[in-house]
Amino acid sequence: AHAAIDADLAALQARKDAWVGVAPRARVRLLDALIRDYAAVIPRWIAASCRAKGIGPNDPAVSEEWVAGVWPVMRHLRQFHQALGDIAAVGHPRIPGPVSTRADGQVVAQVFPFNGYDRLFFMGITGEVWMEPGVTRDGLAATQAVVYRDKGHAGRVALVLGAGNVASIGPMDVLYKLFVEDQVVVLKMNPVNEYLGPLIEEGFRALVEPGYLRVVYGGAAAGAYLCQHPLVEEIHITGSDKTFDAIVFGTGPEGAARKASGQPLLTKPISGELGNVSPVIVVPGPWSARDLAYQAEHLATMLVNNAGFNCNATRVIVQHAGWRQREALLGAVGSVLARIPVRSAYYPGARQRCDQFVAVHPDARRYGAGTDSALPWTLVAGVDPMRTDDICFTTEAFCGLFAETALDAPSVAEYVDRAVAFCNDDVWGTLNVTLLVHPASLKDPAVAAAVERAVANLRYGTVSVNYWAAGGFTLGSTTWGAYPGHPISDIQSGTGVVHNTLMFSRAQKSVIRAPFRSFPTPPWFALHGRAGRNVFPRLVGIEARPSPLKVPGVLWPAVMG
């Protein structure tokens, strides 16, 4: 196995400078081929993913493999196609929305909707990238596509350690390394979803055949060999912070000692997206019965999507202790969970992780009957926010389990401020956070100001208002990754970003905003799987071959289900 890896890395080393020399217009043609070839493998890709996760062909959960597994990859290919055409024409990707400057001088670029189709299909939803302090509006373009400005740099070989949970992660990380960072790639498949490897090789053969991409297989030993290999010059991992620490500092007592003294074993550059105890801050308001039902399905979806095996799954619902509808919302969430069939716990270690949490919180509410292969959905309600060392705040469950806690505060505005401090200081990780706020609440100037402070002050890579922050993972033009600034010895949710198809080099975070209730109900909501199964294949078709003639075919099932 090592000999095969050696040969793959030698082939990539031989082609890394040739990749740097591929001009933008030639890359556009390459992306044409990638779009065509990837589209051809999609039916087998969906079927393989569903088989591996125990999803039947008529199960509503099939829609998840389109929403998170296929559609984001095709969006990335289409957006990189646009970006490379822009680079050839004007030197940098064109920003599709307005660029503004906040009162504190921070520059904000609206990056979603990306085009007219987005405006039509995702009405009222916007996505922004907020830049690091020091970036100016006039200087923003100079921070985009920096590797295309000076082609005098040498090529590099990057190792991408693929994730095993969501099918799109590995391919999108590969595209980022190639098209944004100008590096050729060896992708090591995670053993959990290595069945996708041959389909990636076939769908991305326009990169494989000229020697710009290799796909390899194996477990932890193969990963360790690759990380330490002298021909690997950079590393990107999507996984756990424990795996990151093992790569950077080594394992056992020696690794722990190195981490404690800040002396890494690994000296080559490494980036990573490493998970999160993802919070949802619920802002009190006059919610109607329909509001409660809508947001209950929204919250439940954030847990059950992909059977709970998501780094952006909601793990802590934060509520105001004095809100009279607190228990009504929890009850509505429970009612939705009771309607959603339990799922195969296909990801290794899920039962042990769930048992760990339930051992600490034996009063956890369980929904659905567990089986040998499936776990019930689990809600740990009423966790004491003063117990900041509680497992629900310090540890990502990575299964179908989440918690709820309630904060005391004399007013709604003060509650929002306290929730921000709680999430920033007491909840582990900085990947993504969601706020739910009723439009009537925003009519109070103090609450509206507190929400805007929250958006600015939350130290998360993605902050989303009224839309599950995982949406930022799929959009392409938003960034995805931890809030910047973690030292290597306290890496939390990671370092660096991916996705980011507009190629910003100095992004701080992404911000998504949406209506409190969207119409029609988003087809990715858990109880709307039939609509999702009908809508998202058509959205993939529009990304593959855009045509206005395809628009009615998307709108009709979105509205009718």
Side-chain angles (χ1 to χ4, degrees), residues 14 18 73 103 184-185 204 271 298 304 337 344 364 366 403 426 461 486 536 541:
V73 178
V184 296
V185 179
F204 282 19
S271 56
H298 196 183
V304 305
L337 292 174
S344 168
R366 318 297 289 271
D426 298 328
H486 293 303
F536 279 94

Side-chain angles (χ1 to χ4, degrees), residues 320 407-415 418:
H320 185 260
L407 308 179
D408 287 309
S411 70
V412 173
E414 288 169 276
Y415 156 75
R418 182 162 179 218

Side-chain angles (χ1 to χ4, degrees), residues 157-172:
V157 174
L159 164 64
V160 169
L161 294 169
N165 57 327
V166 175
S168 59
I169 294 174
M172 293 193 300

Side-chain angles (χ1 to χ4, degrees), residues 132 430 482-488 490-491 494-496 508:
E132 291 178 348
T430 64
Y483 192 81
H486 293 303
I488 202 84
D490 181 24
I491 200 61
T495 178
Q508 182 193 69

Side-chain angles (χ1 to χ4, degrees), residues 506-523:
R506 297 189 60 194
Q508 182 193 69
K509 64 182 177 184
S510 291
V511 174
I512 298 166
R513 300 174 193 264
F516 181 68
R517 276 175 40 198
S518 295
F519 178 82
T521 300

Side-chain angles (χ1 to χ4, degrees), residues 538-552:
R538 290 170 169 85
L539 287 175
V540 170
I542 282 184
E543 298 290 352
R545 295 186 66 185
S547 168
L549 298 177
K550 297 179 178 180
V551 168

Side-chain angles (χ1 to χ4, degrees), residues 63 121 519-525 527-540 542 549-561:
S63 66
F121 300 141
F519 178 82
T521 300
W524 49 266
F525 271 35
L527 299 179
H528 289 70
R530 182 173 158 223
R533 255 187 358 223
N534 291 327
V535 169
F536 279 94
R538 290 170 169 85
L539 287 175
V540 170
I542 282 184
L549 298 177
K550 297 179 178 180
V551 168
V554 175
L555 294 178
W556 179 255
V559 174
M560 302 307 293

